[in-house]
Amino acid sequence: MAPIPFESAGEVQALETEPPAAARLDAKPLNVSRERVDPNAVDVVAKLKGAGFQAWLVGGCVRDLLLGARPKDFDVATNATPEQVRGLFRRSRLVGRRFKITHVRYGRDVIEVSTFRRAPSGDLRINGNAKANGLILRDNAYGTLREDAFRRDFTVNALYYDPHEEQILDYVGGLKDIKRQRLRFIGDARQRLREDPVRLLRAIRFQAKLGFGLDAAVEDSRMVARLREIPGARLFDEFTKMFLGGYAAEAWRLLEGTPIPSVLFPATPKGTCLVQLAMGNTDRRVANGQPVTPGFLLAVLLWEDFRARVKAPHSEPGGANGGDAAELAAQSVLADQRRIIAMPRRHSHFIQDVWLLQPDLRERRPKRVPKVLQHPKFRAAYDFLLLCAEAGLVEPAVGQWWTDIQTASAEERDAMINALNPALRRRGRSRQGGRSKSRQR
């Protein structure tokens, strides 16, 4: 990402200390212009302002514009309530309970609109909005623009941009921290982590994505155990954001330097080559515009646990064996993981199919090959097999065989399958020997 030209923005010098009021800066010297903004986001801001409300682009989209990157999503902050926003846009709907927002839809494009919030105050436990340990359950206390800035998590995510006035608003020194490439919490770091331990994961995600350094206060391992208090659906959402954005390998490298994997993936061995390869492979697929799914990465992360449970002895009389044992082991592993990260059922089914196809792929039993090739999850299972081969867990020749058979003609495919049958190979050698003897005679 190209750095923003701070030297050309004289007002930045005023940000050496945290400003008591907003610093307003001309966006153009910072290489931020309306032409780089999604027209639909510009339209949302225009309609809100036209109705008499305040409206700004906010968060990651402003940060990425300043860094010269192309934002994936554009978020809008306003003093209109979610219900008022809903009334202005016909194709919109309210979502969220912990944090109510409005999704405004333009075809497949969705612009997320949130109402200005203020930092929690008083005893939130009285109305059931927080737990005794400070974890916020609902965050729908509306406030002013300034209050909204100070309740956000990181300074670099608390910048506002008006695409019509071409102004950037900075209450918390976010521009200074972008210049220094630093991730810093707004306010007391421990308090912010008590309010929402998921901010630990967000910190590592932004560190991996931006290459910024973490403020020492962010790296508070004492808060890691509190990730167990977070609903599994939120953790799954954060999992997809962290590992499907094109920087999975770096995110996993950073995570392995913390106790976080032992909380989120307690059965995943540290330093597993297969996991590292899968993260890099996912990044390459994202870069090439190929589809990626969280189910594949979860299949990799949980693979060793699955293998261990399949190998465990079934001492009970009449216990499950073979394929039934593998299916039961898969269900057990996935049930345990769902208690931590609540993956949707479709991903659980995907993972189970990928795992249960592995013996067929490795053993290459002739009668099973045609059925395996026709299986809906064959391609994903094949990709998994290739990763295992790259990690040294499968003979490379096995992966190459499955690669070759996919492009073979029908005749070549039959020959490849027949060559796997020991009886046919012996019969073929016997015929050749017989012909050879008759020639000698």
Side-chain angles (χ1 to χ4, degrees), residues 179-193:
K179 179 182 180 182
R180 294 179 177 178
Q181 297 191 340
R182 179 177 63 166
L183 282 171
R184 180 171 63 91
F185 273 126
I186 299 169
D188 180 72
R190 291 196 67 192
Q191 176 61 29
R192 305 315 301 274
L193 289 171

Side-chain angles (χ1 to χ4, degrees), residues 402-423:
W402 285 102
T403 300
D404 294 340
I405 200 170
Q406 292 177 68
T407 57
S409 65
E411 185 177 337
E412 291 170 335
R413 181 176 294 187
D414 289 342
M416 290 177 69
I417 294 172
N418 289 337
L420 296 173
N421 192 322

